[in-house]
Amino acid sequence: MESHCLGPAETPHTTKLYATFLEDFGRLAEFYSHPPTEEGLLRAARAVPQDAEKRRAVAELLREQNRTLGADGETENSIARLAAGAVAVVTGQQVGLFTGPAYSLYKALTAIRIAQQLTEGGTDAVPVFWLAGEDHDLAEVNHCDWPGREGLTRLEISPGDAAGKARSVGRVQFGEGIIPLVERAAAQLEGPMAEEIGAALAASYGPAETFGTAFGKLLARLFAGKGIILLDSLDARWHRLAGSIYRRALADNDNLIAGLLARSKQLDRMGYHAQVKVTERSTLLFLDVEGERLPVRRRNNGFAAGSQEMSEKELLAAAEESPERFSANVLLRPIIQDYLLPTAGYVGGPAEVAYFAQAEVAYRRLLGRMPAILPRAGFTIVEPHVGRLLKKYRIELRDVFRGRQHLRGRLEREYLSKELARQFSGGEKRVRQLLKSLRNPLGKLDNTLIGALDTAEEKMLYQFLRLRDKAGRAQNFRTGVLDTHERILTEALYPHHGLQERTLCFLPFLARHGAALLDELGARASLGASQHQVLYL
């Protein structure tokens, strides 16, 4: 398997903050408690508190949840190790349809590998995947892009009872519409694991399942034997365990928001961006109001969620009596996570790394410790048929990243019959040789003519090469081959003008190339593997 790595400057849409995090962490060290290194991870592991009672409660709940999701004995073993004192390497993702974009699984692979490395080094660690089902933006998770035999297909489901409601997506049931969607996805699978993946989809995604339970059941099947622990954050018992954090976030809201506003301004002054918008009316919490998840905001001298207004005293009483009605926003969620879990490291993508630069303010005030923030592994998989097209047209991945106009020009330039291509190549050489032969005689006659010669050469070759491109377009007009090849390359490598991992579902790749691909990616998802990896299968 051939591979090479892309640095942040070569990887599309890399923010300045994330590039600095990867390449010059020292400039951002004040925004994080530990560097994303082995030393930083070990330091964070040593700071994890040994609260035996909490560990037992957490382990008991995790054991019940994972058995419900169909986890195997290796996961049971990981839970036992967690209860006995192991630290956690945590990651998580919104519960997207059919696992959502490929990077969801790359996060899990990274957490599994780093936990393994920690354990091998003498610090017992287990991987945990946080099933983030509380968010209420159904449009973000109700679809996936499926690279199947029919090309790139958008698979989407919109359960009718969730329309127009701000319901936590993890609670939304699929209904009967999921059955034909699973059948459609499975019909497009091919390869040695096609039948197995199709069966896993059918077993996980049924009418009575929710986005949260189906995602968890599928992950349990995909990562069987890997020892990863799944945590369903929607369970009311987690909220009761974390109730004190909700109350502290409410009681200390003004100081928290002031600190977050100051942090946003600091990031802006340094030329970075604040990933999460915070205003003076913000809080870090949502409240369930008649089945809808609504943000809690400052209003007058109290708080409000939608049209429901409450004093601080009333809101604190509600958090004491019914903590399951509350949920955290993106800045508080990791603090809840690390209050519940003995987290040594959190594996996140670029946006999450940016969240933590702000969340550090809340970590200091509410938890007093923060885990090491570790970049997830990133991959672009170049399948054999795609690799052959790159080779045929003598183009590289960066040509695809430069956009359609550039890619199309490269394709047209190379797409000629062998004879016509040979004639154009020979003609270009003869033109260059002719103009080169005139350089000395013209220089002797009048040195100022050299500039005119260079200008003439540039114009002649421009028109000549433009004619070659037009010939390529004319040939494509007859056959349509370039249209097909351009579509294949962009859908496979830069779909919707974004990285493959941020758009395409991984399951069709797994079906086509088998479990060995998952193992190969897992082996490459090591601590410190921060560059984007391009793998030619």
Side-chain angles (χ1 to χ4, degrees):
M1 181 182 294
E2 180 187 348
S3 66
H4 69 265
C5 294
L6 301 178
E10 300 175 283
T11 308
H13 312 306
T14 302
T15 65
K16 180 182 177 182
L17 189 150
Y18 191 59
T20 304
F21 181 86
L22 296 178
E23 297 188 318
D24 191 8
F25 177 79
R27 293 172 60 190
L28 295 173
E30 65 183 298
F31 304 137
Y32 303 89
S33 295
H34 308 282
T37 62
E38 181 179 3
E39 180 184 351
L41 183 58
L42 288 172
R43 192 190 314 156
R46 289 192 291 269
V48 169
Q50 293 296 326
D51 185 336
E53 184 178 349
K54 185 192 293 183
R55 280 179 180 268
R56 283 194 296 271
V58 166
E60 182 180 347
L61 184 45
L62 286 173
R63 192 172 288 112
E64 179 184 323
Q65 286 192 337
N66 281 267
R67 286 174 179 171
T68 299
L69 295 172
D72 63 3
E74 286 301 317
T75 294
E76 291 265 0
N77 181 50
S78 291
I79 295 171
R81 287 163 55 200
L82 189 76
V87 298
V89 178
V90 184
T91 191
Q93 183 59 32
Q94 288 176 286
V95 287
L97 181 69
F98 302 157
T99 73
Y103 69 76
S104 300
L105 301 191
Y106 300 163
K107 283 182 170 183
L109 289 171
T110 308
I112 290 168
R113 179 61 182 137
I114 292 176
Q116 181 184 34
Q117 288 178 285
L118 262 181
T119 301
E120 291 170 350
T123 300
D124 196 19
V126 296
V128 179
F129 194 102
W130 184 282
L131 301 170
E134 290 177 324
D135 191 81
H136 52 270
D137 192 346
L138 183 63
E140 285 190 1
V141 299
N142 71 340
H143 64 278
C144 69
D145 287 283
W146 195 260
R149 60 173 57 138
E150 298 175 8
L152 188 58
T153 303
R154 180 183 172 96
L155 301 178
E156 181 175 344
I157 187 166
S158 298
D161 64 345
K165 297 180 180 179
R167 292 180 58 195
S168 293
V169 296
R171 301 186 192 281
V172 176
Q173 282 188 319
F174 293 114
E176 294 298 325
I178 195 64
I179 296 175
L181 196 66
V182 168
E183 293 173 348
R184 184 181 174 195
Q188 294 191 51
L189 293 172
E190 52 190 348
M193 282 189 70
E195 187 173 339
E196 183 177 341
I197 298 298
L201 285 171
S204 303
Y205 284 80
E209 301 291 349
T210 67
F211 278 88
T213 59
F215 191 103
K217 288 181 177 181
L218 185 55
L219 249 60
R221 287 176 168 82
L222 294 176
F223 291 108
K226 306 290 186 184
I228 193 165
I229 302 169
L230 305 175
L231 189 156
D232 181 358
S233 62
L234 283 172
D235 194 308
R237 289 170 290 182
W238 292 126
H239 295 260
R240 289 194 284 273
L241 284 173
S244 64
I245 297 293
Y246 294 143
R247 295 191 295 275
R248 288 177 60 192
L250 286 169
D252 199 27
N253 183 74
D254 290 351
N255 289 325
L256 285 167
I257 296 305
L260 289 167
L261 288 170
R263 175 57 54 86
S264 296
K265 290 178 181 178
Q266 185 182 5
L267 288 166
D268 185 62
R269 283 196 306 270
M270 294 176 67
Y272 303 114
H273 71 290
Q275 185 75 21
V276 183
K277 183 179 180 181
V278 179
T279 72
E280 292 180 352
R281 296 177 58 196
S282 297
T283 74
L284 303 183
L285 290 166
F286 286 82
L287 179 67
D288 186 286
V289 179
E290 297 180 354
E292 291 197 86
R293 183 175 183 256
L294 302 177
V296 178
R297 302 190 189 280
R298 269 292 190 187
R299 184 177 297 173
N300 301 321
N301 294 322
F303 296 89
S307 60
Q308 183 174 336
E309 295 193 24
M310 293 155 284
S311 67
E312 180 176 317
K313 183 178 180 180
E314 289 171 329
L315 199 58
L316 284 169
E320 176 77 42
E321 295 167 9
S322 305
E324 65 275 7
R325 293 183 60 201
F326 290 82
S327 58
N329 81 345
V330 70
L331 295 176
L332 185 61
R333 190 208 63 78
I335 293 159
I336 298 292
Q337 161 197 287
D338 300 331
Y339 172 76
L340 296 170
L341 297 169
T343 309
Y346 182 83
V347 173
E352 288 169 300
V353 168
Y355 294 154
F356 279 99
Q358 295 173 266
E360 187 270 342
V361 172
Y363 267 101
R364 264 189 289 116
R365 294 195 68 89
L366 296 175
L367 201 59
R369 67 179 178 89
M370 182 179 182
I373 308 306
L374 311 170
R376 66 162 172 79
F379 300 100
T380 290
I381 297 170
V382 183
E383 296 184 277
H385 70 287
V386 177
R388 287 192 291 270
L389 286 180
L390 293 175
K391 185 176 181 180
K392 171 184 175 67
Y393 292 105
R394 295 190 293 180
I395 57 179
E396 299 179 354
L397 185 59
R398 62 173 60 92
D399 292 309
V400 183
F401 288 165
R402 287 182 63 180
R404 182 185 182 280
Q405 186 173 1
H406 174 80
L407 175 62
R408 187 64 181 216
R410 291 298 305 268
L411 293 173
E412 290 171 348
R413 199 165 303 150
E414 297 296 330
Y415 186 66
L416 290 171
S417 66
K418 290 183 179 180
E419 176 59 24
L420 196 53
R422 184 187 64 79
Q423 290 179 333
F424 269 109
S425 179
E428 181 184 351
K429 290 179 182 178
R430 288 192 293 274
V431 170
R432 291 184 185 276
Q433 289 170 353
L434 172 63
L435 296 175
K436 183 179 180 180
S437 69
L438 293 174
R439 185 168 292 273
N440 284 338
L442 287 176
K444 290 178 181 179
L445 178 63
D446 183 349
N447 196 50
T448 63
L449 293 175
I450 297 300
L453 176 65
D454 290 339
T455 301
E457 179 177 10
E458 182 180 347
K459 290 182 177 180
M460 291 170 68
L461 288 173
Y462 171 78
Q463 293 297 336
F464 187 81
L465 296 177
R466 189 180 179 194
L467 179 62
R468 182 183 65 182
D469 294 347
K470 286 183 176 180
R473 283 195 293 275
Q475 190 164 340
N476 173 64
F477 184 75
R478 286 185 164 189
T479 64
V481 169
L482 280 191
D483 293 337
T484 300
H485 289 174
E486 179 191 353
R487 177 184 58 78
I488 291 172
L489 288 171
T490 54
E491 287 185 353
L493 302 176
Y494 202 47
H496 308 313
H497 307 288
L499 287 173
Q500 177 194 89
E501 63 181 24
R502 299 198 63 82
T503 298
L504 304 188
C505 182
F506 181 75
L507 299 183
F509 292 102
L510 184 58
R512 287 195 286 269
H513 304 288
L517 175 60
L518 201 64
D519 293 338
E520 177 69 28
L521 297 182
R524 293 173 179 269
S526 301
L527 178 64
S530 57
Q531 291 190 315
H532 188 84
Q533 301 178 60
V534 183
L535 306 181
Y536 294 82
L537 304 185

